[in-house]
Amino acid sequence: MRPKNLFTIIVGDRARYHSAAAVAAGVALGASVPLPALAAEVSVLQEVVVTAQRREQNILEVPLSVTSYSPEQLEQQSIRSIDDLARLTPSLRFTRTSGVSGNNGSDISIRGIASDVGAGTTAIYIDDTPIQIRSIGYFGGNTYPLVSDLARIEVLRGPQGTLFGAGAAGGAVRFLTPSPSFEGSSLAAKAEVATTRNGSASYEAGIAGGTALSARVAVRGSVWHRREGGYIDRYDPTGATL
């Protein structure tokens, strides 16, 4: 959005905004007097490709409400788990609960559509494989992949039953893994260390890579390890620290 009462002057591929008074003064004094620029250059947005409709499309052409996170965004925002994803994604709600049986559970919903019993209302996918479970009332736990070496995460706001089945009334969260590439070899590594006051250290290390073995065969693999340090000591019955 440009400010009101401003003219736009195009110079090459750059657009600059100038006030009406400045333009009038410049015309009166001649072209040799430069006009003060009031805005920066116009930046070009990078194309975002998603597969929200089971095929690759520009996100601007998808008639759905989609939030997409690239690997660069995942690193910049320090997204490491479904908890971090819910913190940054509008209308995605995730909470961890404790069931009456002592098992740890979780509740996930999009746009406030949730259910405690039966089929889930938010579909969880790894590529094209659904991994959400049916809730039986007292345990609503689900498996969520850790965020490491992903090509993209897509959050689709529902209803998404046409594309993702009965368990996607509220929407779907898709974790998309990178495909092997036939264009040479690639290798990436990362490491992270953090400290907690009055607690243990946290760290993460991982490596991922791939290569083309022939014109028709390519492979890719990744391995990583993550440890989150706690701040509460746990003791056994003898008093020894575990």
Side-chain angles (χ1 to χ4, degrees), residues 46-52 55-62 66 68-70 151-154 174 176:
Q46 184 177 3
E47 181 182 13
V48 178
V49 177
V50 297
T51 55
R55 62 183 184 274
E56 291 188 354
Q57 291 178 285
N58 188 313
I59 193 172
L60 299 178
E61 300 174 353
V62 179
V66 183
S68 177
Y69 295 94
S70 66
R152 188 171 63 257
I153 296 180
E154 296 178 1
R174 304 180 66 205
L176 303 173

Side-chain angles (χ1 to χ4, degrees), residues 154-233:
E154 296 178 1
V155 179
L156 289 70
R157 296 169 184 85
Q160 296 291 340
T162 302
L163 293 173
F164 296 97
V173 180
R174 304 180 66 205
F175 298 85
L176 303 173
T177 59
S179 300
S181 175
F182 289 92
E183 300 178 357
S185 302
S186 62
L187 183 66
K190 64 178 181 180
E192 184 177 282
V193 179
T195 59
T196 303
R197 179 178 296 180
N198 299 325
S200 301
S202 302
Y203 58 85
E204 176 185 2
I207 187 171
T211 185
L213 301 180
S214 66
R216 296 185 177 182
V217 178
V219 296
R220 180 181 178 86
S222 63
V223 59
W224 71 94
H225 178 71
R226 179 181 303 153
R227 182 184 187 277
E228 296 183 1
Y231 57 92
I232 298 176
D233 290 335

Side-chain angles (χ1 to χ4, degrees), residues 33-116:
V33 179
L35 301 179
L38 301 181
E41 303 174 4
V42 176
S43 60
V44 179
L45 298 179
Q46 184 177 3
E47 181 182 13
V48 178
V49 177
V50 297
T51 55
Q53 296 194 107
R54 305 285 188 171
R55 62 183 184 274
E56 291 188 354
Q57 291 178 285
N58 188 313
I59 193 172
L60 299 178
E61 300 174 353
V62 179
L64 304 170
S65 179
V66 183
T67 300
S68 177
Y69 295 94
S70 66
E72 293 76 17
Q73 291 173 318
L74 296 176
E75 289 296 328
Q76 292 173 359
Q77 299 294 339
S78 297
I79 298 178
R80 295 291 184 266
S81 64
I82 188 69
D83 307 75
D84 301 325
L85 188 66
R87 174 172 49 86
L88 297 174
T89 306
S91 74
L92 176 62
R93 178 178 178 271
F94 178 79
T95 57
R96 297 189 183 276
T97 61
S98 179
V100 297
S101 63
N103 295 320
N104 291 326
S106 61
D107 296 323
I108 185 170
S109 63
I110 298 179
R111 288 179 169 173
I113 301 177
S115 176
D116 294 332

